[in-house]
Amino acid sequence: MLSILAGTLVSFASIPLIAVMLRIRSDWTPVAVFAGGIALSEGVAIVIGAVWFDRFYFWPASAAVGAIGITNFFVFSAVYKSVSLQMLGILSAQKDCRANKNLLIEVVARPAVEERMELLVAMGLVAKAPDQTYSPTVEGLQTIARLQKLQQLFGINRSGLYRNT
Amino acid sequence: MHLYPGPATGLALLFGFFIVPMLVFLSHGTARIDSAKQRFLTAIALCIFAWGIIIGAMMMMGRSISWPDILAGSMILFTAIVAFGILWSLVCWGFTTSLLAALCSIDGAANRYAWFHAYGGGSSIADFTDDRLSILLGLGIAKIDETSVMLSGRLGYVIASSVIFLRRFYGLPDE
């Protein structure tokens, strides 16, 4: 039980550290920051266990590090990218927490779509022509070919909107 | 340092990874479940059930399994479920990847309107808004009338406040 506790405490301590790293190293991808934070937690838990504990159990400590680390990452990715949660934020900022649906379309949905389109351009997966038209690059086509193989494995015929899957 | 997992932890590692072949099994043939959400929930329920049944059977046969081992096993299963859940949602509903897939399906270059039209299968941005809003309505966090959308009661307000707090905690800009 002490091994689980050690993993839990170290992992909780890494949460503010990851939040600080996300602020000061904005050039790193969030996935890299979280992976580094979880790996560091695991390393610190092992060192603490090896140095201070008479009987340290690797797997229970690692289970605690993994569970807290993945939960932290899940929460971050939800508030970072979820369009639905962005809508909640907008609603809470309105008088009586009520908004016309057109506001959600213009303030959340349309910018979200346009940001993702430009993100794909910035990632080099989509090319943007001077006439404001878009086409996939070779890298973009290769990425989708890999995704489609994965989707075939899992029998997913169509992705995107929740109602289609 | 003890490096070997206990029985509950070892089985959790096995059944955690078993979610993937279970998902493949439930995706094809007569076992197929059409809804991607139901398919994932069924796969994880079967893995948890199998893990619990085997642990229970071992305890009934007199095998000593400690509670810390069961707790560690539960946390490993939880980790696997959340990790594969993130990957599953990316493959099924990933917004950016689905947009890219839609553009790849168009013959030739497309403007933003045509690109989004391909993504939504003919849907408009308003339909997309409804689709994303359906999650909040389904969870009872928001409600809608003919003209407007509003937070639903204390739960909606608490979750919205939590989202704002968490965005600030992680250093994300305010909406």
Side-chain angles (χ1 to χ4, degrees), chain B residues 60-171:
Chain B
M60 283 173 71
M61 286 191 301
R63 176 80 186 256
S64 168
I65 299 177
S66 67
W67 286 109
D69 184 28
I70 292 175
L71 180 61
S74 308
M75 288 196 283
I76 284 173
L77 268 184
F78 173 80
T79 304
I81 290 165
V82 177
F84 286 125
I86 292 170
L87 293 174
W88 184 251
S89 68
L90 271 180
V91 172
C92 294
W93 306 290
F95 188 9
T96 313
T97 48
S98 301
L99 269 177
L100 180 59
L103 186 64
C104 292
S105 71
I106 298 173
D107 195 16
N111 59 23
R112 280 181 172 173
Y113 177 79
W115 184 359
F116 188 79
H117 199 260
Y119 163 78
S123 301
S124 63
I125 297 251
D127 295 328
F128 168 73
T129 308
D130 286 339
D131 191 67
R132 263 39 188 182
L133 204 50
S134 69
I135 299 292
L136 304 178
L137 300 175
L139 291 172
I141 301 168
K143 54 188 178 181
I144 190 165
D145 59 22
E146 284 181 6
T147 56
S148 57
V149 184
M150 68 214 84
L151 289 182
S152 181
R154 183 175 288 270
L155 178 67
Y157 184 77
V158 167
I159 294 178
S161 304
S162 305
V163 169
I164 292 167
F165 167 78
L166 287 165
R167 285 189 66 89
R168 288 177 184 161
F169 175 75
Y170 289 119

Side-chain angles (χ1 to χ4, degrees), chain B residues 2-23:
Chain B
H2 296 260
L3 288 173
Y4 292 104
T9 307
L11 283 167
L13 285 166
L14 181 72
F15 283 111
F17 284 107
F18 199 65
I19 292 172
V20 176
M22 189 64 84
L23 278 171

Side-chain angles (χ1 to χ4, degrees), chain A:
Chain A
M1 200 66 192
L2 274 176
S3 304
I4 293 179
L5 194 62
T8 303
L9 291 175
V10 170
S11 210
F12 270 121
S14 77
I15 293 174
L17 177 70
I18 288 171
V20 170
M21 289 304 290
L22 286 168
R23 288 165 193 266
I24 61 176
R25 293 314 303 253
S26 55
D27 52 326
W28 292 0
T29 64
V31 172
V33 173
F34 276 87
I38 294 169
L40 182 67
S41 307
E42 179 74 14
V44 171
I46 289 171
V47 169
I48 288 174
V51 174
W52 281 306
F53 287 31
D54 291 333
R55 287 193 303 167
F56 180 71
Y57 294 87
F58 171 80
W59 284 104
S62 302
V65 169
I68 294 166
I70 200 79
T71 304
N72 189 25
F73 179 65
F74 177 78
V75 169
F76 169 80
S77 53
V79 297
Y80 181 43
K81 283 285 183 189
S82 168
V83 174
S84 305
L85 291 183
Q86 280 180 36
M87 289 176 178
L88 270 190
I90 294 297
L91 286 176
S92 72
Q94 305 303 308
K95 188 172 179 241
D96 297 332
C97 299
R98 172 191 285 264
N100 189 292
K101 205 160 81 177
N102 284 334
L103 182 77
L104 296 180
I105 294 171
E106 295 308 325
V107 176
V108 181
R110 195 181 301 280
V113 172
E114 291 173 358
E115 277 169 21
R116 296 321 198 274
M117 287 174 170
E118 295 308 320
L119 176 68
L120 286 166
V121 174
M123 290 168 74
L125 300 173
V126 167
K128 187 176 182 180
D131 64 350
Q132 304 297 307
T133 58
Y134 300 83
S135 53
T137 61
V138 173
E139 201 184 342
L141 289 167
Q142 287 170 344
T143 302
I144 287 308
R146 285 193 292 270
L147 176 73
Q148 284 172 342
K149 277 184 188 164
L150 205 58
Q151 290 180 331
Q152 278 171 8
L153 178 69
F154 291 114
I156 297 162
N157 304 320
R158 182 171 172 78
S159 64
L161 299 180
Y162 294 126
R163 66 164 186 265
N164 291 336
T165 45

